[in-house]
Amino acid sequence: MPRTSRQVQSPDEVHGSVRQLLGMPPGRFLREYWQKRPLLVRGAFPDFQPPLQPEDLAGLSCEETALSRLVVHEPRADRWSLRHGPFDDATFAALADRDWTLLVQDVDKWDTDVAALLDRFDFLPSWRIDDVMVSYATDGGGVGAHVDQYDVFLLQGPGRRRWSVSDDPAAPPGFREDSDLRLLRQFKPTHAWTLGPGDMLYLPPGVPHEGVAVGECMTFSIGMRAPAVGELLPDFADEVAEALPEARRYADPDLAPAARAGEIDAQALARVAEALGPAASLMDDDARGDWFGRYITRYRSAQAPAPPDRATRATTLSAALAGGVPLLRHPWTRMAWRRGRRGTTLFVCGEAHPCSTALARRLCAERGLAFAAPPTEAELSLLLTLVNGGHLVLQRRSRR
């Protein structure tokens, strides 16, 4: 029969094992630490016996459907490399004796003993728990200083790992550009702890941290599910859109004669906001205008222009325009433009380009453009982009 006594307990009236896990009642942990600050718990899992061994993890990483990664660090060059599985025996045989880490996601889905670790976290809603990732590292191994955007409990298995953490709210957020890993460009830790078997470190989202193996070690990372708003919105929007009647559309019964071809004016954007209803408030006017410009220039396009086989050079284009060769707009290219806080933007088949107002108006109004005066350097650069994107074509006269 289902246990019902749990429903009448206060948050702090829990089993002693949970108190051991957190070093305090779960209610206090949730009030004072959850998504607020790190917490180190010594002996969270007393006499911890790992549910699997390094060779088991290596074997799992060879499975085709397992999500595995291998991170190798070259300390002298401070160079990091990332490889994705599946791996094989030859992969591990070729590795050095130190400075590498094997990580396997979703190990709880493969191993029931690993899944049993999650029973100790039943003070959290089960749908908030994502997976148990297990890592094996040689001496000096790690994945570099980084930031996770989800809650994680880092349970130390066999061996020891040195964790460095920064709780500085002004810590620089920039990432290095020389690695596939999202490594912090700068990292100045404010705390450091060495964890042994059974110790556990809780980290809330957004806390810069780095873990380095002290000798060989294994770590069990219990990660929480935390979808970004950018992931929630598309699915939510699809759900809303399905329920909307076909007759509910952008409408402009108050439309006045167009003064400037292709312009998305303030009245049009007000109608867009009205059609979107409360969802329009998720963007400011400028961002919504840029989104609509990109959207409406690709809306219901059955085809898209293809780039030419050979790219045109700036000097070639400049000479052609100076010689009176006109530019023709591709029939499948749709354009619009708008004035915003940052100036005028030209929208071309879903892409946005800074543009002078004069050129934007001409591009939208004229299917063929000839230039009596040479375009500015910025205008020539934009025209070259559009020519090499297939949106504009030089109309060269055929030879007889």
Side-chain angles (χ1 to χ4, degrees), residues 255-263 265 337 339 361 365:
L255 187 65
R260 293 164 292 275
E263 182 182 14
D265 58 22
W337 63 277
R339 293 187 181 94
R361 291 178 63 174

Side-chain angles (χ1 to χ4, degrees), residues 233-307:
L233 277 177
D235 194 83
F236 179 72
D238 288 344
E239 192 78 11
V240 171
E242 273 192 36
L244 291 175
E246 178 72 12
R248 182 170 175 174
R249 290 174 172 264
Y250 172 93
D252 49 11
D254 58 343
L255 187 65
R260 293 164 292 275
E263 182 182 14
I264 301 172
D265 58 22
Q267 291 75 23
L269 291 179
R271 298 184 199 105
V272 171
E274 183 179 359
L276 291 173
S281 64
L282 295 173
M283 286 183 170
D284 63 31
D285 292 346
D286 227 33
R288 189 166 59 249
D290 284 348
W291 159 76
F292 184 70
R294 293 192 300 270
Y295 169 79
I296 203 64
T297 54
R298 64 174 181 264
Y299 173 65
R300 292 179 62 82
S301 280
Q303 301 288 342

Side-chain angles (χ1 to χ4, degrees), residues 339-356:
R339 293 187 181 94
R341 289 197 302 267
R342 297 181 299 276
T344 297
T345 301
L346 175 73
F347 303 99
V348 183
C349 293
E351 298 179 349
H353 305 274
C355 185
S356 68

Side-chain angles (χ1 to χ4, degrees), residues 4 8 32 34 40 121 148 152 185 198 202 213 255 283 332 360 370:
T4 57
V8 298
E32 299 181 12
W34 177 252
L40 172 66
F121 296 85
D148 294 320
V152 62
R185 188 180 297 118
Y202 162 73
L255 187 65
M283 286 183 170
W332 285 108

Side-chain angles (χ1 to χ4, degrees), residues 70 72 83 90-98 100:
L70 188 62
V72 179
R83 295 169 61 184
T91 301
F92 298 110
L95 291 171
D97 293 334
R98 54 171 296 139
W100 58 267

